[in-house]
Amino acid sequence: GDSVTQMEGPVTLSEEAFLTINCTYTATGYPSLFWYVQYPGEGLQLLLKATKADDKGSNKGFEATYRKETTSFHLEKGSVQVSDSAVYFCALNNQGGKLIFGQGTELSVKP
Amino acid sequence: DAGVIQSPRHEVTEMGQEVTLRCKPISGHNSLFWYRQTMMRGLELLIYFNNNVPIDDSGMPEDRFSAKMPNASFSTLKIQPSEPRDSAVYFCASRETAYQETQYFGPGTRLLVL
């Protein structure tokens, strides 16, 4: 079945460091791909998405490119801030219209 | 826009008691999802509705769990009787139509069953 695998956390970085969170997927067809972010005590918020191969989603300095050849959708940010500390979820929208989530990666940014 | 509204935000109950969680989707959205989040199992889809009709309830863990959507602006998830292993954060999400892909999540209900 469809699945999403993320790198394990927690990831701890210093402010202004470069961030990469790896995400790979297995799916039938060509699903849309998403990154959601969950701040402490809150629900998930859509961070960015990409709907087809080679699309790049971007928002708030975060970027991710839909790579069909490697079935990946890695999240990157050039310079993280303390306020980026959260749990990040990679997800795909399967053919049944359901979101399939990865296990989440906790990011902690230290000043 | 008020976003997805869930109540209560926190619930503490004793094993065997009935628990009812409530959700109000974003106005105009006609798909609604219930998720459960735990450390061990991550985010799990329990059930989802399109136009108030349950489409897929394969994630509902057992008969103790039931969900209803009596109208487009309200849904409930009920656990009866509750057990300690039901302790989790329960999220409701809504989507504009069955053809839109982005889901909008509520703040969640943190449930603790003692």
Side-chain angles (χ1 to χ4, degrees):
Chain A
D2 298 342
S3 66
V4 175
T5 301
Q6 295 179 229
M7 65 186 285
E8 288 193 21
V11 174
T12 302
L13 296 174
S14 297
E15 206 165 22
E16 299 184 2
F18 185 86
L19 169 71
T20 300
I21 300 178
N22 290 337
C23 170
T24 57
Y25 67 90
T26 302
T28 304
Y30 304 104
S32 293
L33 302 174
F34 303 80
W35 279 100
Y36 277 82
V37 59
Q38 184 179 27
Y39 298 103
E42 298 184 10
L44 279 72
Q45 303 175 25
L46 178 66
L47 181 59
L48 54 84
K49 72 177 187 180
T51 59
K52 61 183 186 297
D54 301 325
D55 264 4
K56 178 185 284 187
S58 61
N59 186 24
K60 299 181 181 179
F62 291 89
E63 294 183 338
T65 301
Y66 191 143
R67 300 288 188 199
K68 189 177 72 170
E69 63 276 12
T70 55
T71 61
S72 65
F73 193 54
H74 304 322
L75 182 68
E76 297 181 334
K77 187 174 185 182
S79 176
V80 293
Q81 306 300 312
V82 173
S83 57
D84 294 326
S85 298
V87 181
Y88 292 81
F89 292 90
C90 185
L92 64 83
N93 197 60
N94 76 359
Q95 292 183 335
K98 298 192 289 189
L99 277 177
I100 307 298
F101 286 94
Q103 69 270 38
T105 301
E106 182 181 357
L107 171 65
S108 177
V109 181
K110 306 297 185 185
Chain B
D1 196 333
V4 175
I5 298 172
Q6 291 187 245
S7 65
R9 292 294 309 276
H10 302 272
E11 177 82 25
V12 180
T13 191
E14 293 187 345
M15 183 174 64
Q17 297 297 306
E18 177 179 295
V19 175
T20 299
L21 311 181
R22 297 172 176 79
C23 176
K24 177 179 170 53
I26 293 172
S27 178
H29 284 196
N30 59 24
S31 294
L32 183 139
F33 302 79
W34 282 102
Y35 291 89
R36 179 172 66 177
Q37 185 180 39
T38 61
M39 289 293 292
M40 291 298 295
R41 300 173 68 91
L43 266 168
E44 303 173 277
L45 176 66
L46 300 178
I47 185 171
Y48 82 93
F49 297 83
N50 280 342
N51 295 314
N52 314 336
V53 176
I55 301 301
D56 186 342
D57 65 355
S58 59
M60 295 287 263
E62 48 198 277
D63 291 346
R64 297 185 297 107
F65 285 69
S66 62
K68 294 182 179 180
M69 193 165 185
N71 58 62
S73 59
F74 184 65
S75 177
T76 59
L77 177 68
K78 186 176 293 186
I79 309 172
Q80 166 64 15
S82 58
E83 296 183 2
R85 58 192 169 119
D86 302 330
S87 298
V89 182
Y90 291 82
F91 289 103
C92 175
S94 70
R95 184 177 66 186
E96 189 170 351
T97 71
Y99 304 102
Q100 298 290 324
E101 296 177 312
T102 301
Q103 295 181 23
Y104 298 85
F105 283 74
T109 295
R110 187 173 297 274
L111 173 65
L112 177 61
V113 183
L114 301 174

